[in-house]
Every structure is written in C-alpha cells, then in structure tokens.
Amino acid sequence: MSADASGLKPAVIVAEKLVQTISSGGEQIAILDGLSLSIAAGETVAIVGASGSGKTTLLSLLAGLDSPTSGSIMLAGQPLSSLDEDGRAALRAGRVGFVFQSFQLLAGLTALENVMLPAELAGRADAEKLARDTLAKVGLEARTGHYPYQLSGGEQQRVAIARAFAAQPEILFADEPTGNLDAATGTKIVDLLFQLNRDRGATLVLVTHDMTLAARCGRVLRLNAGRFDD
Amino acid sequence: MTERRPSALRFAFLRLRRGWTSGELRVLVLALAIAAAAAIAVGLFTDRVRLALESGAGEQLGADAVISGRDPLPDAQMTALRETGLRIVSVTSFPSVVARVDGEETQLATIKGVDAGYPLRGKLLLAREPFGATEIAPPQPALGEVWVDLRLWTTLGLSLGSKLQVGTSELEVTRIVAEEPGRSGGFGDLAPNLIVNAAALPATGLLGPGSRLQISLQLGGTRAQLATAEAIELPPGFRYTTPENAQPQVRNSMDRARSFLNIAVLATILLSAAAVALSARQYSQRLRDEVALLKVLGARRAFIRRVLVLQVLLLGLIAGGLGAAVGVGGQAVLANLAAPVLKIVLPPPGWLPLPAVLGLVLLMLAGFALPPVLASVESAPVRVFQRAADRESRGIWGIAAAVVAIAALLWLQAGSLKLASFVFGGALLTAGVLALFAWLLVRGLAGIRSRGGIAWRFGLGNIARRKAAAVAQIVALGIALMALLLVTVVRQDLLATWQGKLPLDTPNQFLIGILPDQVAPLQAFFKARGVAELKPQPMVRARLSALRGTEVNAESFEDPETRRWINREFNLSWTSSFGDDNEFVEGKPWGGEARGKPWLAVDDYAVERLKLKLGDTLTLDLAGTPITLEVRAVRKIKWDSFKPNFFLVTPPGVLDADGLNPPLQWIASFYLPREQRGLLRELIREFPNVTALDLDAALNQVRGIVDRIVGALEFIFLFTLLAGLVVMMAVIEGSRADRVRETGVLRALGASRRVIRQGLIAEYAVLGGLAGAVAAFAAQALAWALAVGVLELPYGPRPLLWLIGTLAGCAIVTLAGWFSLRKMLNTSPRTVLAGGAA
C-alpha cells in the first residue's frame, strides 16, 4: 500500500515497504507494517491516527532519527540506509526542521541562541542574522535575550517554530505542534506555521490528532495499526 | 552564504553559562574545588618547608660543616683539622637549670659557650627588648654577660640587667637573641637557649664529670679545605655534619607529618571523587535529552563530544581556580599552626605544587566525570520522542577509568605505593564496615517509623525508600565525622585515660649528672626538706665491641636504628632489686646473691635490636677495659613509671668491680609538688653540676607540639568533612526532581509548608544522627584497638562520645540538608498539574 504525491514536483521523501517492529515480553509487535509513501517538494501532509497507531514512529523514521527494521527511505534525495548516525545528522543540518509538542528548547540557551542553533550546526556564518529575522517574523524580536523559562507556552512554541525555519530547511517535521497549547494559542501557532511554510516553500509533514489542523494540509494520511487507511 | 564549522568552545561556554545553575554541576565543581584546596594547602605548605630546609640549610647550621662529639676532639685530629686552613669556632653546649638570682622560678636551658667569631655562617641578631629592633652581635658575649633567647626571657621574667644564676656564677643579661643560625633544630629542640663566652664556663662549675657536653667545631672555608677535613678519620662518637645531612629531626618529623596530612588529603580526595562521580552521572542523565535534540538538529557526535570535553575542562578550570584560592589561604593556616613547632622561617609559597594539583583535578575529571558525561553522546536522537530508546554502554570503561584514576590519585598524593594501597585498603574496609552498620540502622528505622506524626513518617519514609542513597550518605559523612572525632575527642580521651592511670606521686623531676660523692649529701638534702626519699641509680657508659664472641661495630648491622644505637654509648646500671616497673619476660630477677656475677638483664628493645636470647654474650668496652656479660633475663619496662630504667642492667659488683674505674654518675627521679618548686633553686646553688629536668614542662612542650600537628590535621579533616557533605549534596541533587514532584503532590493534597519542612528536618536529622552514630562507633572501635592493643590502657564504652557524635552529625547534616532543599519547600502544587519540574 502506498500514498503518492499527485503533482509533478520531485519527491523529497520516499518510503518503501517500511516495517518497524519492537520486541515486548518476548513477542514481536509491528508498529509499522510495510507501508510506503512519497511526498513531493512543497507539499503539506498531515499524518493522523489514534494513539499508538505509529504516527510518531513514522515521523522519526522519515526524519532519520531511527532506523526501520526493514524497508527503505530516501530523504532529500539520499537513501538513509546508506548513512550512519552522523551522516544522517549532517543531512538534517540546515535542511530539515522540527517542531515538537513539548517545544524541546534548550533551557540553557536564550531564545536567540536556540533559534541560531540549527543554522550554526549547518555551518552558516549568518546564523545570528537568520535567527533575528525569523524571531521578528514570529513577533518575538523583543524577547531574544529571554530564556525558555521566562517565556509562556505559546511564546516557547513560537521560538521553536522560528528555530525550525531559521536555517531555511527544505523539509519541516512537526509532531503535535499544538498539543501543549490552549485552543486560541494553538490556532495562532498553526497560522504562523502555515504562513512561514508558504513563505519559504518548504515541505511540511505534521503528525496530529487535531482534524481541523489536518484539514489545512494538502493531503491527509490516516494511520491505523501500522498501515495507511485507504 | 558563507560556511564555517560550528564552534564547540562557544557552545560549551553557552551551555555552562546557564547550566551552571543546575545543582549537579555546582556540586561537581564544589567537590573538585575541595579536593584541590586540600591538596594545594598541604602541597604548598610541605613545599615551603622543603625550600626552607634546602635553601637556608647552610645558614641554619651556622657553618659550612660541623664536627661534633661529647668530648673535645683528640689532639691528632685537631692538628690535622688546623692544617686544612679552615676557620674553626668552637661551641660547647649542655643542658642545665638556670634561675633568676632574685626569683623563685627555675628553667632547664641549653647553655652555649662560644668562641669569638660565632657563628661562622648566617647572622646572630640581638635585641634590647622582645621583638625590638635588632643589631648584629659582637664576636662573643663579654665575660660576666649572657644573651638569652625570648623563651628564657619570658619564662623567667627577665629584663636587661637581670642577674642569672648559671651554676655557681651570676651573669648579667645584656641582650635578647632574636635570630640565631643553627637554632632551628626542629621538634627535639625543646629547652630555651642562652649564650655565654666560652671562657666563662669553667667558673660556673658545670663542666665537671657527668655533665652532658656537646662540643661542636664550626668549620668555614673552601670546598677543597672542607673535603680534606671530611677525609680526616674521626674517633667513634664524633660526627661530621654538612648542611645537606643536618636537621634530620625536622626532615623526619616533616616526613611523618606529611604522611598524616596526606592521609587526610587522600580521604578528602576519595570522598570528593565519589561526589564528582555521582554528580557527573546525574548530569549525564540530564544531558541525554539535550544530546538527542542536538543530534535531531543536525549535530554530529564528534562535535557533541568536543563540546562536552571542553565543558568538563572549563569546569575543571573553575574548580581548580577556586580550589587554588582556598588552598593558598589554607596553607597559610597550616604554616601558622606549624611555625612555632618548626622554628624555621618559611619562604613564600612557590608555584611547584600548582601543576600537580591541576593534574589532580584533570585526573579526577578524566576518571570520574568524563566517562559518564561522554556516555550521554550515545543518546539516540529518537529519544526526543521516546525516552526508552537509550543505549546504555561504557559501563566497563567507566569503571575501568575510575579504578585507574583512584590508583593514580592515591599514588600521586601518597607518593608511595605502600601508603597508597594501605589507605585504599583501609578506606575500602572502613567503608564496607560502615556501610553494613548503616544498612542495619536504616533497616531498623522501619520499627520506629509508624510512631510519630505525619512529618516524622514522611521524613523517615524518604530514608527507607532511598535506602541505597541513605547508606551512601551515612558512609561518606560517617568517614569524615569519624576522622574529626578521632583527632579531637578520642585523642583527648586517650590522653586523659593515660594520665588518669598514673599515680599522683608519679615522678615529675629527673636529676642527672650526680657525682658518686654527691649521692649521700643529696639524699641528706632531700631528707632535710622532707620532700621524698631519693633513690639514685648508678649509670656508666660503655660501647659494644663484640656480640656472641664476634667483634661488631655499627656497620655489622643492617637496621639503621640499630646502627644509631650502636654508634652511641650504651647506658648501663646495676641493681640487686628490680622495681615493679620491670616485668620479667624470660629469666628471673636476681637478688643480693648475684653480686659480682657477669650477668645481664636486658630490655626487650635491646632484644629486638640485637636479636638477643638467653645465654648470648655481649662484650662491652668500659673505658678501655673489655668486659663480657651473659644475658640471663629479658625485661619489659614500663617507661611511664617515670623512674630511671636501663636497657642493660648487671648485678652489683660487676661494673663497679675493683680495678674498673669507668666514669660514673648517678641519676634519680622524684615527685616535687608545684608549691615546692623553690627547692630547685637551692639545689642548683648547692649542687651546680646536677641537672634537674622538669618532666611536667617537657611534657607540656611535647604536648604543645603535638597539639600544633593535630591542629593542622584537624584543619585538613575539615575539608574531608566538607567533601562528605558534598557527597550528601550530590545524593540530594539526584533525588531533587523526585522530591519537587512529591512536594508538589503533597502540597496539592493539602500538606502545609510546615509539615513538609518538619518532614525534611526529620529526614536529615535522622540521617545525620545515624552518620554521627556510625562515626562514633568506628572512632570508638579504633580507639579501643589503640588503647588495648598499643597503649595497653583499659578502655570501656564512652557514652559521651556516642552522644557527641550523634548530635554533631544531626546538627551538621540537618543544616546542610536544609540549605540544599530549602527552595524546594516553595514548590507550588501547580507544578504537579503542569507536569513540569521546577
């Protein structure tokens, strides 16, 4: 079973026959059960499904954070299986952005330093300028020197979004980006996410429970027991 | 767009700037700083002493070389010495009791008769008032004048122009000796000093037979001249001393003191290492999330590794700097404590120990901090979603690094493999026993947990729930408290026990140098004043010439102590009735029937040195006449009876047989009540050659010295206690997140701040009390072993020690626990609902 991009743009993410099993109490449990997909550049895709359906596992495999039990993944034209952990990290640096449910800001760094981080890791000399510009875009130019604990939940997620976009990535992965926010703030954050994505022309893959959010994406993939529903 | 490598150093700095506020890093730095401070304090201090001994040794000897002996150098050697062209200044010194002519107080002093030109090297500085302006001394004091040192000046309450009774002479005090080369004789140099013109000595009547003369010839000249002088073969009993081999006492005492201090430093380092390992492990746990996120954002492992190594090095630098600052202050405290004992001017601290301490810090980091911190590099990126995704590794490497580091630290600090393994073995054993005891106590808490209010149950519940952590804290604090208890309470206690065992009339005065024809008049003198019945004992000097029929000299023996003993003359005595301070181990005491028999009753010291057994023969040279004696008995002497005793004793009629005329003197001891001290002044007047040694004063002086050394030790053990507290803080940091969450839950459930505070106090008071009890138990066990096994003192349980230990532990640990966790009390119940940690 596969989900295909409909446009003519080249695919930036291609997964073939992905299987991910874990052993639990001596038993092998399949989290992902031989699914395939292809996502074109600039596409916005929502992956939805019940808790435990394998959404987050799929996301971590597509981003190269983990290796599948079997199957292959191409990310930005590179087969992930040919890369070791450092190689996959180098591939992500500057080309892949992330937004997490729990923000995942480094407590020891200011908002600016957090946002600079991916660009710095990608070796960009203009990391600070990029970070300041992006923080201005999310409306936090006045809070650059603040530490995460000095920011509200919504502000923290805006910093996280700025961080995800600052290095101008080709692909953005978002895991329940509104999961830790109230409805009003969540809506604002989603608007911001889509607006930035439009401006930058990045590919967006997001995992969510929220069907309203999923509906804003160009394509919705439903995961059920490790497979896509038709 | 330009590219550049991300800067690991910049990131390490960034991380530390805020990461510094995380408790575990503060604990890590504190632990390193404490270890560094203790090591630097002791390192700098011992280095200063070494520098003082090396640089100023020539001046401290007062000459380029010295030939010394108990008699004047025989003519042949004296002539040879003069032919070398060296400058020679003779100094005659001996102990005698002196007194102010118009006062009651007497004092044993070293009297120094000097030739013109004393000293040959260095400066003799005199003053007109204590600590007043100094001037360089004239070549020697005028006849009828005496220069006294500050101690004699103070003890006897002297002033310029005071008359001092020295033997039968009355000499006028004209100056205070402010600084004198060669007066830095170390711990053994107890008596105050006075300097007179050598030509004034005969008139004092103190130079008769029996006086304990030390005649030193100070030599000054070129290397070639000195080499010629050194080649002159000296008769037995004479010694050629150069600045290099001078001051063996200071060196020996320093070596011993350094060993003690190093043990204290080692204990501090081991405890600090435990705290470093604990906090680095906690830090590493916290780092895992961050490392995973960095990997997600594109960081490679090499970069993360660089960041972490740099971060740990930066922490090391901070800790090293902090430790150095405290350590430099600490060495000044040590130097102040030791200065009066060492009696040498210490040069300013050098830099030599600092690289060693930097090495120590790096070693601690490499062994205990880096392995757990670097283990976090293995954290999987998918951890940002699933915490369980971690790969645990490096366990073996971490342990191996710690073991190598411990071995290297011990070796570095102890300087000898033997001491290092001794300390490590001792530490392991102590920790093991303490851990077992602590575990039993912690288990025993279950019984009393249900009794008491909610705070009490909550506090004790915390201990019971974290049993391993509680045991670790009790052991770490127990070791530190035990060390402190040993040097403070237990030492005083043992001393008091020993003193309490001595009868009230234990002799406190020794008389030496009594001439044979003075024995009866002296006894009459004492009887007339109703003091005590004086029982003088004869003493002759002899030299060992053959053992079991074979000729021997010092070189015949391997053991250095035996060599030293053989080199000196033996003191022998005779008796037909042994006191009850002589316990016969082999053979039987003899009575009058043994008169004239060539028998010998030896002390177990002689047995040990010469490997003697019953039936062995010793041939002694008694003023030129050989006399062979057979070992008939072995005695164990109780020296703390303070009565004259001798290693070698014969029956009467052997050493004093007709035809033998060895130089003979008598010695005696007696008890003189304080209020009758005036008698000593009369004694000097009537028997000027007899020297009275005041044991009380000598004991006080020794005690003063011991107090100083123990003070230094106590000071370093304070660092050990701090290290123990840091281990406790490390454990607290490990449980902080849990505690914050629990406090939030309790607060949400309606517990008042007061209840939580009381629970915290209950927990740490009990923990501290247990640590104190464990420490008291261990200190008591050691004291008992020492008292019964070594000192042969009766020693029972000391409830007061247990009480002091428990209360001290309680107070210290409650304060430290409170200090570490006070902020936690303010945890809002909201934190629980928000799902976060403060």
Side-chain angles (χ1 to χ4, degrees):
Chain A
M1 180 178 291
S2 82
D4 292 308
S6 49
L8 294 169
K9 285 187 175 173
V12 286
I13 302 170
V14 180
E16 295 279 354
K17 295 176 186 159
L18 277 189
V19 174
Q20 183 75 323
T21 54
I22 57 163
S23 59
S24 172
E27 224 179 296
Q28 294 294 313
I29 299 171
I31 311 271
L32 298 178
D33 194 8
L35 58 78
S36 300
L37 64 81
S38 172
I39 298 174
E43 212 184 343
T44 53
V45 177
I47 300 169
V48 297
S51 295
S53 60
K55 300 187 297 289
T56 301
T57 303
L58 176 61
L59 191 73
S60 63
L61 290 180
L62 294 180
L65 304 187
D66 206 356
S67 304
T69 311
S70 69
S72 67
I73 302 165
M74 294 276 284
L75 182 67
Q78 290 251 30
L80 289 183
S81 59
S82 67
L83 300 171
D84 63 2
E85 197 181 289
D86 275 349
R88 296 199 297 268
L91 175 64
R92 281 193 298 271
R95 301 174 75 175
V96 177
F98 280 92
V99 178
F100 302 96
Q101 175 176 8
S102 53
F103 321 141
Q104 299 276 19
L105 297 178
L106 290 183
L109 306 187
T110 61
L112 179 67
E113 287 158 359
N114 262 293
V115 176
M116 281 169 68
L117 198 54
E120 276 187 295
L121 289 171
R124 303 274 296 257
D126 54 351
E128 184 171 347
K129 183 178 178 304
L130 287 173
R132 284 192 187 280
D133 289 351
T134 322
L135 273 172
K137 285 213 168 75
V138 300
L140 286 178
E141 60 270 53
R143 325 263 338 224
T144 51
H146 286 65
Y147 287 98
Y149 75 97
Q150 293 169 313
L151 301 170
S152 71
E155 285 171 330
Q156 288 188 41
Q157 193 60 306
R158 278 197 276 162
V159 172
I161 287 173
R163 182 176 68 185
F165 282 106
Q168 298 169 327
E170 298 161 34
I171 306 159
L172 190 74
F173 291 103
D175 177 38
E176 303 276 11
T178 56
N180 270 353
L181 301 171
D182 62 71
T185 314
T187 309
K188 279 186 202 159
I189 288 292
V190 169
D191 289 345
L192 189 64
L193 188 66
F194 277 88
Q195 185 204 323
L196 271 172
N197 194 52
R198 259 196 315 279
D199 294 352
R200 301 278 165 98
T203 308
L204 175 65
V205 181
L206 66 81
V207 160
T208 185
H209 279 104
D210 181 353
M211 292 315 290
T212 338
L213 172 56
R216 295 182 64 166
C217 291
R219 187 151 55 116
V220 178
L221 299 174
R222 275 170 221 283
L223 253 184
N224 188 9
R227 291 160 179 263
F228 287 126
D229 281 345
D230 290 327
Chain B
M1 181 176 85
T2 45
E3 289 225 358
R4 65 173 181 200
R5 271 163 59 113
S7 161
L9 186 62
R10 191 181 101 83
F11 194 68
F13 264 121
L14 284 180
R15 270 294 293 112
L16 275 190
R17 191 191 51 205
R18 278 272 309 159
W20 174 243
T21 54
S22 75
E24 60 266 25
L25 284 192
R26 271 188 303 208
V27 171
L28 195 148
V29 167
L30 204 58
L32 283 172
I34 288 168
I40 287 178
V42 171
L44 282 180
F45 164 66
T46 49
D47 191 51
R48 283 177 75 183
V49 176
R50 182 186 61 80
L51 284 175
L53 290 181
E54 280 170 12
S55 65
E59 284 197 0
Q60 281 160 14
L61 193 61
D64 294 334
V66 170
I67 291 177
S68 50
R70 281 183 170 176
D71 302 299
L73 194 64
D75 286 344
Q77 281 85 359
M78 198 62 209
T79 313
L81 195 61
R82 290 226 165 83
E83 281 167 4
T84 61
L86 285 164
R87 285 204 294 147
I88 304 170
V89 169
S90 169
V91 179
T92 305
S93 51
F94 55 91
S96 180
V97 172
V98 296
R100 239 171 70 183
V101 170
D102 58 352
E104 281 290 293
E105 282 294 313
T106 59
Q107 173 67 44
L108 178 71
T110 301
I111 296 169
K112 233 181 215 182
V114 300
D115 279 357
Y118 172 83
L120 266 179
R121 291 282 175 267
K123 287 180 191 129
L124 177 64
L125 296 179
L126 304 179
R128 286 161 195 271
E129 53 182 343
F131 308 108
T134 58
E135 57 194 88
I136 295 179
Q140 66 186 137
L143 288 169
E145 286 185 6
V146 57
W147 301 335
V148 301
D149 72 1
L150 190 56
R151 270 171 65 204
L152 195 62
W153 175 279
T154 319
T155 322
L156 293 182
L158 299 172
S159 51
L160 288 189
S162 294
K163 293 275 188 207
L164 202 62
Q165 180 94 42
V166 181
T168 48
S169 299
E170 289 183 5
L171 304 174
E172 186 188 341
V173 176
T174 55
R175 290 290 183 276
I176 300 171
V177 177
E179 224 179 286
E180 185 190 1
R183 250 305 268 183
S184 41
F187 300 95
D189 193 4
L190 294 175
N193 216 4
L194 62 87
I195 298 176
V196 298
N197 191 314
L201 288 180
T204 61
L206 295 171
L207 293 184
S211 56
R212 297 165 57 82
L213 292 187
Q214 171 84 19
I215 298 171
S216 305
L217 298 173
Q218 296 196 328
L219 309 177
T222 64
R223 271 168 195 268
Q225 289 172 322
L226 289 165
T228 319
E230 194 169 3
I232 297 171
E233 198 169 318
L234 296 173
F238 286 88
R239 209 158 54 119
Y240 184 90
T241 308
T242 60
E244 286 73 43
N245 63 21
Q247 297 178 309
Q249 306 102 311
V250 176
R251 245 174 255 270
N252 289 344
S253 313
M254 252 336 278
D255 283 349
R256 213 159 292 167
R258 188 167 47 213
S259 291
F260 281 126
L261 288 173
N262 273 339
I263 289 175
V265 172
L266 276 176
T268 311
I269 289 176
L270 287 178
L271 284 177
S272 301
V276 167
L278 274 172
S279 44
R281 208 182 132 73
Q282 290 153 16
Y283 181 53
S284 152
Q285 291 299 329
R286 192 203 280 250
L287 269 177
R288 284 168 187 272
D289 289 338
E290 199 174 312
V291 167
L293 183 68
L294 283 174
K295 284 183 173 178
V296 168
L297 296 180
R300 299 183 201 195
R301 270 189 296 194
F303 170 76
I304 299 171
R305 211 172 281 137
R306 270 203 310 278
V307 170
L308 294 179
V309 169
L310 283 170
Q311 210 176 89
V312 167
L313 284 179
L314 284 173
L315 286 175
L317 274 181
I318 297 170
L322 213 65
V326 176
V328 169
Q331 66 79 28
V333 174
L334 285 179
N336 270 335
L337 281 167
V341 181
L342 291 172
K343 288 190 226 138
I344 45 178
V345 181
L346 294 178
W351 296 103
L352 194 64
L354 293 183
V357 170
L358 193 66
L360 170 93
V361 169
L362 290 179
L363 201 56
M364 287 180 75
L365 287 174
F368 307 102
L370 265 185
V373 165
L374 284 182
S376 67
V377 175
E378 299 307 316
S379 176
V382 70
R383 185 183 164 92
V384 290
F385 298 121
Q386 308 152 271
R387 288 215 156 163
D390 261 349
R391 295 169 283 215
E392 277 289 348
S393 68
R394 287 184 186 250
I396 299 284
W397 288 113
I399 291 169
V403 168
V404 170
I406 286 177
L409 284 171
L410 290 171
W411 179 75
L412 248 182
Q413 194 61 38
S416 88
L417 200 64
K418 200 172 143 198
L419 183 62
S421 39
F422 171 77
V423 170
F424 188 57
L428 268 187
L429 189 73
T430 313
V433 172
L434 294 193
L436 182 71
F437 190 49
W439 186 74
L440 289 174
L441 285 177
V442 169
R443 281 202 50 162
L445 287 180
I448 53 168
R449 208 178 129 188
S450 51
R451 287 168 230 157
I454 177 168
W456 175 252
R457 285 205 306 275
F458 175 56
L460 261 58
N462 267 336
I463 297 180
R465 208 149 38 87
R466 304 186 178 103
K467 268 197 198 78
V471 169
Q473 293 177 86
I474 291 174
V475 170
L477 291 164
I479 287 177
L481 286 170
M482 177 191 79
L484 274 177
L485 281 176
L486 273 178
V487 291
T488 52
V489 185
V490 170
R491 180 178 63 94
Q492 295 290 355
D493 181 28
L494 284 179
L495 197 63
T497 308
W498 175 67
Q499 278 169 338
K501 207 190 78 169
L502 298 179
L504 271 180
D505 58 353
T506 300
N508 59 358
Q509 304 288 332
F510 252 86
L511 296 180
I512 57 176
I514 306 166
L515 298 177
D517 56 5
Q518 287 177 318
V519 172
L522 199 63
Q523 280 174 315
F525 172 92
F526 273 81
K527 197 168 183 185
R529 283 155 188 84
V531 175
E533 194 194 346
L534 201 65
K535 292 179 187 160
Q537 300 229 22
M539 184 174 92
V540 292
R541 294 221 173 97
R543 201 168 274 287
L544 182 68
S545 60
L547 181 62
R548 293 181 279 270
T550 315
E551 274 193 34
V552 289
N553 57 25
E555 276 66 48
S556 316
F557 299 91
E558 290 282 316
D559 174 45
E561 192 172 340
T562 309
R563 284 182 172 205
R564 275 198 292 277
W565 191 47
I566 301 292
N567 256 332
R568 294 197 302 260
E569 290 185 309
F570 290 0
N571 291 328
L572 288 92
S573 186
W574 65 79
T575 189
S576 56
S577 65
F578 292 91
D580 53 10
D581 50 350
N582 280 249
E583 182 195 333
F584 278 74
V585 186
E586 287 178 74
K588 284 196 191 103
W590 55 65
E593 79 288 351
R595 184 174 182 83
K597 298 207 168 114
W599 291 351
L600 203 54
V602 297
D603 165 63
D604 52 2
Y605 177 84
V607 170
E608 196 189 326
R609 298 268 77 86
L610 302 177
K611 314 281 175 246
L612 294 176
K613 53 187 187 306
L614 293 189
D616 280 354
T617 59
L618 279 77
T619 306
L620 300 166
D621 179 346
L622 211 63
T625 313
I627 171 170
T628 299
L629 303 165
E630 181 196 342
V631 177
R632 294 285 293 209
V634 177
R635 300 160 300 144
K636 203 171 164 175
I637 297 169
K638 285 187 191 141
W639 292 101
D640 61 4
S641 71
F642 290 101
K643 290 177 188 152
N645 265 300
F646 297 85
F647 292 144
L648 307 174
V649 174
T650 70
V654 179
L655 300 171
D656 56 339
D658 291 340
L660 281 176
N661 266 320
L664 177 65
Q665 59 162 302
W666 294 66
I667 65 175
S669 69
F670 63 99
Y671 174 74
L672 184 68
R674 266 215 85 73
E675 59 279 8
Q676 281 181 272
R677 287 289 159 98
L679 178 120
L680 291 175
R681 270 189 39 68
E682 288 181 56
L683 190 78
I684 322 174
R685 284 221 185 89
E686 288 202 27
F687 306 93
N689 63 302
V690 173
T691 304
L693 295 170
D694 186 338
L695 282 180
D696 279 348
L699 271 180
N700 277 335
Q701 274 161 343
V702 171
R703 207 169 297 147
I705 290 168
V706 171
D707 281 346
R708 291 273 169 178
I709 296 172
V710 168
L713 208 55
E714 273 169 6
F715 178 68
I716 295 300
F717 275 138
L718 282 182
F719 286 91
T720 316
L721 180 66
L722 280 180
L725 287 174
V726 172
V727 172
M728 177 185 135
M729 282 163 71
V731 177
I732 288 179
E733 286 309 323
S735 66
R736 183 184 292 275
D738 275 356
R739 281 176 186 276
V740 168
R741 203 185 54 246
E742 285 164 14
T743 306
V745 171
L746 283 171
R747 299 271 284 127
L749 294 177
S752 68
R753 219 171 274 213
R754 195 171 60 92
V755 166
I756 293 170
R757 186 171 55 227
Q758 285 171 348
L760 192 71
I761 289 174
E763 176 179 350
Y764 283 98
V766 169
L767 207 59
L770 292 186
V774 164
F777 156 79
Q780 172 99 82
L782 278 175
W784 176 82
L786 211 61
V788 175
V790 183
L791 304 173
E792 297 180 357
L793 295 172
Y795 196 84
R798 295 283 194 272
L800 195 64
L801 180 73
W802 293 73
L803 192 70
I804 293 174
T806 308
L807 288 181
C810 226
I812 295 171
V813 174
T814 307
L815 270 176
W818 171 257
F819 180 77
S820 294
L821 287 170
R822 68 198 187 289
K823 278 198 188 136
M824 190 203 69
L825 294 176
N826 298 328
T827 305
S828 151
R830 267 188 319 160
T831 48
V832 186
L833 303 176

